Amino acid sequence: MGDGNRQVGAVEGGRLAARWWKWALSAPLDQSPVADTTGAHAGWRQPEDVWFLAGTYGGRVVRRCGIPAGRPLFFPVLNTQRPAVPFVTKPWRMEVTRASAALNSSPLDVAEFSSPLFGAVGIPRIAWGLWCVVEPLPAGQFVLEIDASATNGFWVDTTYHLTVTAP
């Protein structure tokens, strides 16, 4: 297990993935943490028990943001979601060619989670992804690096410069 990783089971991880997608899809495009290329919208309607870090729409992104100490982090390395329609309720899965995350150069464990059905933007949905859960970080500076790609040509190369502040 990598430093700072928190193990969660498939059920809890799936629920967190559903919560993450509801959060990510709730933001208007001009305030979307996913569309954000700087980290300015990282704090969009964060829940009180966990801190979500946004994925991207692909490519290279560098974000700088502050986060509070005392909350575990949950974020995608590579993920997808789709509407759930009758008789087709399995998530899309990407064929992964690489997927890694590291905090201050220490590798993190990446876990595969599929969500239960959830509603977002008025539509029932299902999600799949490779995710990380990180124990609450102490106050200080951290660098989180995410690197992943799929056989369909989709890739992400994300760097977060995190400033963790004491409550």
Side-chain angles (χ1 to χ4, degrees):
M1 184 188 316
D3 292 338
N5 258 130
R6 180 174 157 213
Q7 293 291 325
V8 299
V11 171
E12 182 183 358
R15 287 184 188 138
L16 282 167
R19 287 180 62 197
W20 184 93
W21 274 107
K22 287 181 185 182
W23 168 78
L25 294 169
S26 73
L29 190 57
D30 66 342
Q31 296 176 53
S32 168
V34 179
D36 178 16
T37 59
T38 66
H41 300 298
W44 169 262
R45 295 188 180 173
Q46 288 286 348
E48 293 189 15
D49 61 330
V50 65
W51 190 270
F52 292 138
L53 292 175
T56 72
Y57 291 122
R60 174 87 178 123
V61 176
V62 177
R63 295 178 174 141
R64 295 178 186 282
C65 59
I67 63 173
R71 288 197 218 173
L73 304 178
F74 185 77
F75 59 90
V77 174
L78 197 64
N79 67 344
T80 187
Q81 62 82 36
R82 68 174 184 80
V85 295
F87 309 110
V88 184
T89 57
K90 292 194 185 293
W92 278 324
R93 290 183 47 125
M94 295 178 149
E95 291 296 322
V96 178
T97 55
R98 71 177 188 275
S100 67
L103 184 66
N104 287 354
S105 300
S106 293
L108 297 172
D109 292 331
V110 177
E112 181 177 358
F113 299 128
S114 293
S115 76
L117 288 174
F118 64 95
V121 198
I123 299 169
R125 298 175 183 270
I126 189 94
W128 170 88
L130 300 175
W131 302 85
C132 285
V133 184
V134 176
E135 290 291 344
L137 298 172
Q141 302 288 321
F142 298 86
V143 177
L144 173 65
E145 297 168 290
I146 301 164
D147 179 40
S149 66
T151 56
N152 66 0
F154 183 81
W155 61 277
V156 295
D157 179 3
T158 305
T159 301
Y160 269 100
H161 295 274
L162 303 172
T163 301
V164 180
T165 55

